[in-house]
Amino acid sequence: MWFGVWGGLVDTLGGVVHSVAWMALSVAALALGRSDRHSAVTAVGVISLLAAGAFLLFNLGVGLLTSAAVFGGCAFVALGVAFVMRRAVRS
């Protein structure tokens, strides 16, 4: 949490580098939670990854509607992957 707060809303290249590092830490927390089967750690990793993605888009200067479209597209992709995984488990 403090890593995200520490970065702030910076409009320079340092803000982008910080957001990418934040995303890497979020993916690491997500992977740790999934491998150890800790749902709380996995949930924190997912929420942190979404926040890091939003900060990255903000630091790149992407508008609010474009950010919403990116997250909406990611949601549809995740939904499609979930359906494919569900079919693979049934087979």
Side-chain angles (χ1 to χ4, degrees):
M1 181 176 101
W2 286 111
F3 190 77
V5 172
W6 174 73
L9 302 174
V10 183
D11 287 334
T12 63
L13 182 62
V16 173
V17 172
H18 177 267
S19 295
V20 170
W22 185 6
M23 289 181 84
L25 289 173
S26 300
V27 169
L30 183 69
L32 176 69
R34 291 292 297 155
S35 69
D36 288 344
R37 296 183 185 244
H38 291 291
S39 59
V41 177
T42 304
V44 167
V46 169
I47 292 170
S48 179
L49 187 60
L50 288 173
F55 268 92
L56 178 63
L57 290 174
F58 177 78
N59 285 331
L60 291 174
V62 176
L64 184 61
L65 288 175
T66 307
S67 296
V70 167
F71 281 108
C74 290
F76 281 122
V77 168
L79 188 62
V81 168
F83 280 128
V84 168
M85 289 176 65
R86 187 175 179 189
R87 286 187 186 159
V89 169
R90 285 186 181 174
S91 304

